[in-house]
Amino acid sequence: MATTPRTAYMAAFDRAASPLCRVSRFRMAPRPPLVALKNVRLQDGQRPLFDGVDIAVEPRTRAALVGRNGAGKSTLMKMVMGLIEPDAGDRSVQAGTRFAYVAQEPVITGETLLDYAASEGAERWTAEAWLATFGLDPEKPAVNLSGGEIRRAALAKAFAEEPDLLLLDEPTNHLDILAIELLEEELLQARFSVLVVSHDRAFLNRVTQSCHWLEGRRVRTLNKGFAAFDEWAGKVMEEEAESLRRLNKAIERETYTFYRSITAQRTRNEGRARALNAMREDRAERVRDLPRELNLGVDSGGLSGKLVAELKGVTKGFGERTVIKPFSTRVIRGDRLAIVGPNGAGKTTLVKILLGQLKPDAGTVRLGANLEPVYLDQSREGLRSDMTLWDALTPGGGDSVLVRGVSKHVAAYAKDFLFQEGQLRQPISTLSGGERNRLLLARALAKPANMLVLDEPTNDLDMDTLDKLEELLETYDGTLILVSHDRDFVDRLATSTIAMNGRGDIVETPGGWTDFIRQNPGFLARGEGRGTRDEWKKASTGGTSAPLDPRPSAPAPRKPGKLTFKDAHRLKELEGLLASLPEDIARHDATLSDPDLYARDRKAFDKATANADRARTLLAAAEEEWLELEAKREALASA
């Protein structure tokens, strides 16, 4: 082959290059992976869980492992670590590679958190430092820990072990937003490799550089961060659908030709028969591997009053700790309210006050009329580990579930939430975290509700389920109150955000998480060791209350405006109506609840119906007028 000027130049460069230059060029070659699986197969019952899986984890890379609940992500991570042997295929690992693993549900052992964090050989001083980094007391007993403390302790232990590869299975579950952001920072600065399973899109968007997608018993790899995953996965699914369409067409053509040949010649072409059967088996496998669709639905029930809840000057404390300083807000029908803040800030306390389940220490709470709330509690109350899935869906017994007013067989309803019929008689303790959360959703969404309260609904759910839940909530026409640490989930759904910083301070901002952060930078920062503004002023002036601020004092505020006497009087009248009309409606409804009333006394039935309708009309009009006058009063007061 003739030598071109470029190849001659490159040859001369290679001959003249120093050994150091040649070593440098050699080091630019791709490094071998820390661990790799090649053509791995693992049987799970009658069908393989993995069939020809290839995955490699390279040094100093941060990769996401994504897939549906039940696809085998946790099993694959354990196989990467060597905790599970494949039925076929090869696993190769660099000599001396150290692994650390944070399971989806860590188990804390030992007398203290320091004993636990150093239990796998980490230096005690290193373990102590990492526990402090994650905000934990090393001498704290390793019992009676909250979900967030368990998660942070497991993360501290893993970091202290200084691995070459850290595997994280749903690491953001039970962590508050500040702890999630701390974990993100530590991972971004880490010198080890990371393989993480998570449903938290904001977390994955920030920390990952590549994605491994476990789907259809195989792994596909994208050499880009998770931010590019959805678009790429959509194209892959489109290609798979087109490939299946072409296969169906080929089977139709081959079937026609094959049977026409038999009819015409009365002889069987065995080669063609084998080819046709192979195509049919291929199609059956592809269809079997298609993900099943979650069938979610919600009934917003009867229309609630325009006003859902109003808090005025509400405070709440426990012992010497103030959870809620004087706070006022108003929730209107159709609002999508997110409540965010660190663990222990009082988010669940505020929810219970909004629902009327907990009385404030001071202030007033007004609840709207005709509220039908459904509360999905993060503690999974009502689910005993020894009860079966069947028992959980039919607490009253029997074999049917009343789903939004329609009776449905328990097996059919369970199938809507991706449960197999064989799971119905299994104890709940055998279900994964994602399956338990789907079960909670199934129980909650069976009831009509014009007010949905979801406390940490995203824990353990895969992204397909999260997407379905988001689609459902976007079309829900009732009132939504959402407590979540999932920033992406809040951004997609919330129309306003209440933030609590754990020191009693509360702010409310229109929009979702991103809007809140932009308008209130630093509000959620940890406050340990910081005095109040008044304490600082007192210390800086030697105990006096005179301010040291050199700026000129602000002019005295204007006296706030007031409503006219007529408007103020009408506002009091309306408040009386808002208190009495719901009682009238309840009394008329109680009369109408008599099933024999219509047959026994038609006039009494018609009168009660008319009175109930008139009271509801008056209540709706009173709420509208009261809201207008309240807005006017607040505008005058702030002018």
Side-chain angles (χ1 to χ4, degrees):
M1 182 176 69
T3 302
T4 65
R6 174 171 174 77
T7 55
Y9 169 79
M10 291 303 297
F13 176 82
D14 285 339
R15 287 193 299 271
S18 68
L20 180 61
C21 291
R22 286 196 292 270
V23 170
S24 175
R25 292 181 65 206
F26 172 76
R27 285 177 178 168
M28 291 174 63
R31 292 171 293 181
L34 290 173
V35 59
L37 302 180
K38 181 68 174 177
N39 201 26
V40 161
R41 179 184 175 87
L42 182 68
Q43 198 76 16
D44 180 28
Q46 295 182 349
R47 300 185 67 246
L49 182 62
F50 306 133
D51 189 6
V53 161
D54 294 335
I55 187 172
V57 182
E58 297 178 353
R60 296 193 183 182
T61 59
R62 299 184 301 275
L65 175 59
V66 297
R68 293 173 287 109
N69 284 145
K73 301 186 295 296
S74 297
T75 301
L76 184 59
M77 293 184 83
K78 291 176 182 178
M79 195 176 291
V80 168
M81 288 186 67
L83 300 178
I84 295 177
E85 288 291 328
D87 295 329
D90 299 314
R91 174 181 179 267
S92 60
V93 58
Q94 281 193 31
T97 298
R98 295 167 298 175
F99 297 90
Y101 175 51
V102 177
Q104 192 172 117
E105 296 184 1
V107 177
I108 308 300
T109 58
E111 292 188 8
T112 67
L113 292 183
L114 181 56
D115 293 334
Y116 165 71
S119 61
E120 296 293 330
E123 296 286 349
R124 290 183 72 85
W125 66 268
T126 306
E128 188 173 1
W130 278 110
L131 286 167
T133 296
F134 282 100
L136 295 169
D137 178 3
E139 299 304 320
K140 184 179 178 70
V143 293
N144 300 323
L145 301 174
S146 68
E149 288 172 327
I150 291 173
R151 183 70 54 182
R152 286 183 283 140
L155 288 168
K157 176 179 179 293
F159 276 82
E161 291 168 5
E162 299 180 344
D164 299 301
L165 173 57
L166 174 61
L167 299 102
L168 303 173
D169 197 347
E170 297 289 359
T172 65
N173 277 359
H174 307 294
L175 292 185
D176 61 36
I177 292 176
L178 297 180
I180 292 172
E181 291 183 341
L182 170 63
L183 176 59
E184 289 171 350
E185 292 295 336
E186 296 298 340
L187 291 177
L188 289 172
Q189 297 174 29
R191 299 172 65 85
F192 48 71
S193 294
V194 179
L195 182 63
V196 57
V197 172
S198 178
H199 65 267
D200 190 324
R201 292 176 180 271
F203 173 77
L204 293 177
N205 282 344
R206 189 169 183 212
V207 303
T208 60
Q209 300 164 310
S210 61
C211 299
H212 303 292
W213 183 22
L214 179 56
E215 178 67 28
R217 297 174 287 128
R218 288 180 171 82
V219 170
R220 301 175 177 87
T221 297
L222 171 68
N223 292 318
K224 293 182 180 179
F226 184 78
F229 173 79
D230 282 338
E231 182 180 357
W232 169 72
K235 291 179 179 178
V236 171
M237 296 304 291
E238 288 176 4
E239 292 171 359
E240 291 285 339
E242 176 60 22
S243 175
L244 182 59
R245 188 191 67 79
R246 289 197 299 267
L247 177 60
N248 284 330
K249 288 292 184 183
I251 291 174
E252 289 176 10
R253 289 194 302 269
E254 190 65 19
T255 300
Y256 173 78
T257 302
F258 179 67
Y259 285 106
R260 184 183 179 188
S261 172
I262 292 175
T263 303
Q265 302 176 13
R266 302 293 181 187
T267 60
R268 182 177 296 275
N269 186 326
E270 294 299 333
R272 175 160 278 174
R274 286 194 296 271
L276 181 57
N277 286 334
M279 284 193 290
R280 286 173 173 168
E281 289 174 5
D282 184 18
R283 178 176 62 183
E285 281 295 311
R286 294 194 195 189
V287 172
R288 192 179 294 120
D289 287 335
L290 289 176
R292 291 183 296 149
E293 289 287 329
L294 193 71
N295 186 14
L296 293 182
V298 63
D299 180 358
S300 57
L303 198 64
S304 71
K306 177 85 175 206
L307 175 72
V308 172
E310 185 195 31
L311 276 56
K312 282 187 176 180
V314 163
T315 67
K316 187 65 182 178
F318 297 95
E320 297 182 355
R321 182 180 171 227
T322 299
V323 176
I324 300 175
K325 294 177 181 177
F327 175 63
S328 301
T329 189
R330 186 179 299 136
V331 182
I332 306 300
R333 183 179 65 227
D335 279 355
R336 298 165 181 270
L337 175 66
I339 302 177
V340 302
N343 287 340
K347 300 185 295 296
T348 301
T349 298
L350 180 58
V351 166
K352 290 183 176 180
I353 290 175
L354 281 167
L355 291 174
Q357 298 178 0
L358 186 65
K359 290 185 177 180
D361 296 336
T364 60
V365 178
R366 182 197 299 277
L367 297 179
N370 304 321
L371 287 181
E372 298 175 351
V374 165
Y375 184 19
L376 194 153
D377 186 1
Q378 64 168 318
S379 63
R380 295 170 177 162
E381 288 185 5
L383 291 184
R384 300 192 320 273
S385 60
D386 60 335
M387 71 191 322
T388 65
L389 194 151
W390 186 297
D391 296 333
L393 290 176
T394 58
D399 60 0
S400 62
V401 186
L402 192 62
V403 181
R404 300 180 287 278
V406 178
S407 182
K408 193 168 187 177
H409 193 273
V410 62
Y413 188 55
K415 189 176 180 181
D416 289 344
F417 287 82
L418 307 185
F419 292 109
Q420 303 284 352
E421 190 169 350
Q423 294 179 283
L424 289 172
R425 297 299 184 183
Q426 293 179 359
I428 288 175
S429 58
T430 64
L431 300 179
S432 69
E435 287 172 330
R436 272 174 276 178
N437 234 14
R438 289 207 309 271
L439 175 56
L440 282 175
L441 284 173
R443 282 161 49 110
L445 297 179
K447 310 168 189 174
N450 54 32
M451 182 180 183
L452 275 178
V453 184
L454 306 180
D455 196 346
E456 291 297 344
T458 66
N459 280 350
D460 300 312
L461 295 181
D462 60 36
M463 290 179 188
D464 289 342
T465 304
L466 276 180
D467 288 343
K468 286 290 182 182
L469 182 58
E470 285 174 4
E471 290 173 10
L472 175 73
L473 297 178
E474 283 172 355
T475 59
Y476 175 62
D477 58 2
T479 303
L480 174 65
I481 297 179
L482 175 67
V483 179
S484 181
H485 299 304
D486 190 320
R487 294 156 292 180
D488 183 77
F489 196 68
V490 170
D491 266 341
R492 292 181 184 215
L493 290 173
T495 56
S496 63
T497 300
I498 291 177
M500 309 176 71
N501 66 4
R503 301 185 290 278
D505 304 312
I506 304 178
V507 297
E508 186 168 5
T509 306
W513 168 257
T514 303
D515 299 299
F516 156 71
I517 284 296
R518 184 174 61 249
Q519 297 178 49
N520 302 277
F523 177 78
L524 293 181
R526 300 284 184 192
E528 291 81 1
R530 298 180 183 177
T532 65
R533 179 175 173 82
D534 290 339
E535 290 170 343
W536 173 83
K537 286 166 67 177
K538 185 175 181 180
S540 63
T541 56
T544 68
S545 58
L548 295 180
D549 194 339
R551 294 172 295 180
S553 59
R558 292 187 302 168
K559 189 176 181 179
K562 295 182 178 179
L563 289 173
T564 64
F565 175 80
K566 180 180 178 181
D567 285 345
H569 181 68
R570 180 56 178 164
L571 192 59
K572 287 186 178 180
E573 286 183 340
L574 291 169
E575 288 175 348
L577 286 171
L578 293 176
S580 63
L581 284 171
E583 297 175 1
D584 293 344
I585 294 170
R587 187 172 64 255
H588 298 316
D589 286 345
T591 301
L592 292 168
S593 65
D594 181 357
D596 300 323
L597 178 62
Y598 183 86
R600 187 178 66 249
D601 191 342
R602 172 68 182 273
K603 289 184 178 179
F605 178 85
D606 291 342
K607 183 179 179 181
T609 301
N611 287 338
D613 291 342
R614 183 165 56 253
R616 286 189 170 89
T617 302
L618 287 173
L619 180 60
E623 285 180 340
E624 291 282 357
E625 189 178 357
W626 180 82
L627 288 170
E628 291 175 3
L629 286 175
E630 268 290 288
K632 183 177 180 181
R633 184 187 63 78
E634 291 176 358
L636 287 170
S638 61

